[in-house]
Amino acid sequence: MAQIIAESLEQHRSRSASVLVIVLILAFAILTMSGVGTTAILSLIGMAICAVCFFRREVRIDWWIFIPLAIYVAMNFISSYVTHDNPLYGYGRLHIIFLSVYAATCCLRDREMQLLRVLCIAWAAFAASCAVIVFAVQSFEIASTRLSFFVGTPNGLAIFLVLSWFALQSSCMSPKEDRPNKLLTIVRRFEPVILIALTMTLSIGSLCALAVGIIVMSISKARQTRSLSETMNFVTTILAKVFLCVVIGLLMYMSAERAQMPLLCVVILLYIIVVICLWDRFTQFLNSNQKFSLVVSIIGLVCIPFAIFMRPNVFATFSERLAMVGNGIGYLGENPLIGVGAFNWRALNLQDVDMYYNTNHIHNAFVHVGVEFGWIAMIALIVIAVRLFIKHYKQAQHGEDAAFLFNMLTDTGFFYVGIVSTFILTAGGSTTPAKKITNVGTKLLFAALFAIHLTIFWSYIAMF
């Protein structure tokens, strides 16, 4: 694996490009395990990224994404300063990393971005493999629970794997000349592990995000091919692979949690290894046998209620989230300009007559941001969401966009730095349309971001 990565990096002429890809993938690995993040670690990561990018000659950036994202971060600082007398109290000190990561991806050329995406998928495959193995080992010792290893929460791990799976589909659908072939050939064999681990999180919201993304990706594919037969073959193949992995994931979870038969988990784990080895042949078989893929897809759709049976409280949870969003909407008019302040919605919810939800985040990122940081910050996020769907991608990226947007509307993944970073690093960077910044402008941009990270770091250290 290390040799293949090294060979891929050697294909790039610019030495700084190779360094930037390495720094970004290392940062990505740390961010995915950081949860909501810590000020010191994120500031150091931001400074490292900006220091490398400072030596790039140009950056092609979409200001319709960068500027609204900067406005959102700025409103975090302003709201925290006004409501808490401390600009570092809210999320601004953490989410400033999104600006640096996004700007860094805009420095990458197409092949560099493709390589970075595949490396991110490789990390997700590694995380999924470790999570499944840990689950099997722990089934011998403790009561099994929903998969959460690496990211820390089942829902967080689930949406991380959903985004990684869509990134894998985009890489496989990209033109052959743009693919890092050797590395991608290995990574795509671990597609079933990603889907199996996703299933074992029992995150119905993330599975719904997966479904929404598949629908949007299929529409994007249909627009590209303009062939009903080819589109149907694409959809049925995707669904057949997904449903097979969902069944395997449910069987492994049931073996440990319901049947309490850890030895059966080991047997299924060995079967997963066989599936990995034969995955390319299985995919080719599905592509060449559309009727079989269609039958498997229909059977999988019929079995969806069984997956819901594994989470009998799913409807109550969904209803509670809708009520939570309704409670948050009631506070949008409390302070439209700067919001009620970071973490203050929970205190307000504790005092009102509605149900107390015992969580720091409304399960709708737009409403939560509007309540705690004001309408300006909320509108900035909406502008970014709209911009993503009108950008012209070279690959079928809109499926990942749709899945992430669905998660923002129904869960709290936006407040995990690793989840947003996964989306930024695998979404293709700043493809057209984008504006080119000159060498001087690039240096000024990353020097400014470096200075902000450094200021936050020293301000944080001075508090101790």
Side-chain angles (χ1 to χ4, degrees):
M1 176 69 74
Q3 183 178 0
I4 293 175
I5 295 175
E7 291 177 358
S8 298
L9 287 171
E10 289 176 1
Q11 295 176 359
H12 306 303
R13 297 180 180 180
S14 174
R15 184 176 180 181
S16 62
S18 301
V19 173
L20 179 56
V21 170
I22 293 173
V23 169
L24 286 175
I25 191 60
L26 291 176
F28 175 65
I30 297 172
L31 291 172
T32 52
M33 296 185 290
S34 298
V36 297
T38 59
T39 303
I41 292 177
L42 296 185
S43 296
L44 290 173
I45 291 175
M47 286 189 285
I49 292 174
C50 293
V52 174
C53 292
F54 183 81
F55 297 98
R56 297 307 298 261
R57 294 183 177 181
E58 64 180 41
V59 55
R60 294 183 178 274
I61 200 163
D62 186 346
W63 292 115
W64 282 99
I65 293 179
F66 186 86
I67 292 178
L69 187 58
I71 292 173
Y72 159 75
V73 174
M75 291 307 301
N76 272 260
F77 285 120
I78 295 172
S79 178
S80 296
Y81 177 75
V82 174
T83 58
H84 298 289
D85 294 325
N86 182 4
L88 299 184
Y89 184 76
Y91 287 100
R93 59 191 170 87
L94 305 174
H95 290 183
I96 186 70
I97 190 67
F98 300 155
L99 284 172
S100 299
V101 172
Y102 174 70
T105 60
C106 295
C107 291
L108 299 173
R109 303 178 184 89
D110 288 344
R111 286 190 60 83
E112 296 164 358
M113 192 66 235
Q114 287 289 342
L115 174 61
L116 177 62
R117 173 187 285 173
V118 175
L119 289 174
C120 290
I121 301 167
W123 173 253
F126 174 76
S129 302
C130 290
V132 173
I133 293 172
V134 168
F135 178 89
V137 172
Q138 288 182 342
S139 66
F140 285 89
E141 303 173 355
I142 60 177
S144 300
T145 58
R146 297 167 58 192
L147 214 63
S148 62
F149 185 71
F150 255 78
V151 177
T153 65
N155 291 344
L157 175 62
I159 191 60
F160 164 64
L161 295 175
V162 167
L163 297 178
S164 301
W165 182 80
F166 277 110
L168 176 59
Q169 305 313 305
S170 294
S171 293
C172 292
M173 294 169 64
S174 63
K176 291 184 178 180
E177 62 271 14
D178 291 338
R179 303 180 193 173
N181 292 323
K182 292 183 179 180
L183 181 59
L184 182 61
T185 300
I186 295 176
V187 170
R188 69 185 179 190
R189 288 181 178 270
F190 288 85
E191 179 182 1
V193 183
I194 294 175
L195 291 171
I196 290 169
L198 166 61
T199 303
M200 293 170 66
T201 64
L202 297 188
S203 175
I204 302 300
S206 295
L207 288 173
C208 290
L210 177 68
V212 170
I214 289 176
I215 293 172
V216 173
M217 184 172 66
S218 300
I219 294 173
S220 178
K221 179 69 174 180
R223 289 178 176 177
Q224 290 180 0
T225 61
R226 300 185 182 279
S227 169
L228 180 60
S229 175
E230 185 175 347
T231 301
M232 285 298 298
N233 188 36
F234 171 79
V235 173
T236 54
T237 300
I238 288 291
L239 291 179
K241 293 193 295 183
V242 169
F243 286 134
L244 172 66
C245 296
V246 168
V247 170
I248 296 173
L250 289 176
L251 287 174
M252 189 163 188
Y253 184 85
M254 290 173 59
S255 300
E257 198 272 339
R258 297 295 172 90
Q260 297 182 354
M261 297 177 61
L263 287 177
L264 187 55
C265 288
V266 176
V267 174
I268 296 176
L269 190 61
L270 295 175
Y271 177 73
I272 293 174
I273 295 175
V274 175
V275 171
I276 293 172
C277 296
L278 300 178
W279 190 247
D280 282 346
R281 292 178 61 182
F282 178 67
T283 303
Q284 293 172 5
F285 173 77
L286 292 176
N287 284 325
S288 59
N289 294 271
Q290 186 173 354
K291 292 183 179 179
F292 179 81
S293 300
L294 180 61
V295 171
V296 174
S297 301
I298 294 174
I299 294 174
L301 290 172
V302 172
C303 293
I304 286 179
F306 178 76
I308 297 177
F309 171 75
M310 297 296 295
R311 289 282 307 279
N313 63 336
V314 62
F315 294 109
T317 300
F318 181 73
S319 177
E320 182 179 306
R321 292 188 181 186
L322 287 178
M324 184 190 307
V325 173
N327 178 273
I329 291 175
Y331 288 108
L332 282 175
E334 193 76 14
N335 194 334
L337 184 59
I338 60 173
V340 299
F343 312 113
N344 280 345
W345 167 77
R346 181 173 183 172
L348 293 171
N349 174 232
L350 180 62
Q351 299 171 14
D352 62 31
V353 295
D354 287 352
M355 173 184 175
Y356 177 57
Y357 299 102
N358 194 28
T359 177
N360 286 323
H361 306 110
I362 300 172
H363 283 55
N364 182 302
F366 300 103
V367 174
H368 183 91
V369 168
V371 170
E372 292 200 340
F373 307 116
W375 290 20
I376 296 176
M378 179 177 65
I379 293 172
L381 291 186
I382 294 174
V383 169
I384 295 174
V386 172
R387 183 61 169 177
L388 289 173
F389 276 94
I390 64 174
K391 285 174 70 70
H392 303 289
Y393 293 105
K394 293 183 179 179
Q395 297 85 30
Q397 177 60 40
H398 286 140
E400 186 177 354
D401 296 345
F404 185 59
L405 177 59
F406 184 87
N407 180 263
M408 289 182 67
L409 292 171
T410 59
D411 214 323
T412 61
F414 178 75
F415 298 99
Y416 289 81
V417 292
I419 304 303
V420 180
S421 297
T422 301
F423 179 73
I424 294 174
L425 293 173
T426 61
S430 182
T431 53
T432 56
K435 299 297 183 181
K436 178 180 177 181
I437 303 178
T438 62
N439 185 23
V440 175
T442 300
K443 294 185 183 303
L444 290 175
L445 173 64
F446 288 105
L449 289 172
F450 183 92
I452 295 173
H453 286 298
L454 181 61
T455 301
I456 293 174
F457 179 76
W458 281 114
S459 299
Y460 176 76
I461 296 299
M463 294 169 59
F464 293 94

